[in-house]
Amino acid sequence: MLKITLSGLLLLALNACGDRTNRTQTTTDSSATVARADTGTTTIRCFQQITGRDSTMVRLAINGSRVTGELAVLPYQKDKARGPIAGTLTDNQIRADWQRSGEGVVQPHEIIFTMNGDSLTWREGERVEKQGKWVLANPNSGFQYVLASTGCQ
């Protein structure tokens, strides 16, 4: 039930990103903690980056070292990519698999997020397929996403 609710809320947030103004948005930190009887405490964190008409959003549910959530990359008038993520948190780094859905195709991508206080970063660039998963050819180069922490809706 919680997954359905979280997915619905993410879709509502994604649909609200139809802002047509040219701006870059930075917001303050906001996180929510949800008590769950079955697995302990889950912290919900949301991040977004809006540059011009392009937006990128991440919603994370962190329970100990287990992380699940959604990632949506929504460039204006270009191919969008979104899908669920699942991975593990070690120190401030999340190594996750992203079931990237775009252009009618679902592909597993490895994503390595770094949490830096009120921001979330990761790199994107040339990818190669290894053992059925798309990984960065050079993990230390390419475009770096920097998303600011934002309130979860």
Side-chain angles (χ1 to χ4, degrees), residues 99-128:
Q99 295 303 312
R100 182 189 182 280
S101 177
E103 302 179 51
V105 177
V106 177
Q107 298 174 315
H109 281 216
E110 178 184 64
I111 301 285
I112 301 172
F113 297 108
T114 301
M115 295 178 67
N116 297 312
D118 291 344
S119 68
L120 182 75
T121 62
W122 83 91
R123 292 202 178 270
E124 190 57 68
E126 178 186 358
R127 289 186 173 267
V128 295

Side-chain angles (χ1 to χ4, degrees), residues 122-127 136-145:
W122 83 91
R123 292 202 178 270
E124 190 57 68
E126 178 186 358
R127 289 186 173 267
L136 289 174
N138 185 350
N140 297 319
S141 68
F143 177 77
Q144 182 168 329
Y145 284 91

Side-chain angles (χ1 to χ4, degrees), residues 1-11 32-44 59-63 66 68-70 153:
M1 181 70 174
L2 180 61
K3 286 185 180 182
I4 293 170
T5 302
L6 291 175
S7 296
L9 290 174
L10 179 63
L11 288 174
T33 302
V34 179
R36 296 191 37 189
D38 57 344
T39 59
T41 302
T42 299
T43 301
I44 307 296
R59 179 181 183 90
L60 301 175
I62 305 168
N63 187 327
R66 185 170 180 256
T68 58
E70 297 281 332
Q153 300 170 4

Side-chain angles (χ1 to χ4, degrees), residues 18-20 51-55 74-80:
D19 186 1
R20 305 256 188 240
T51 304
R53 295 181 177 184
D54 300 337
S55 61
L74 308 168
Y76 180 71
Q77 294 186 335
K78 294 182 183 169
D79 295 326
K80 296 163 178 33

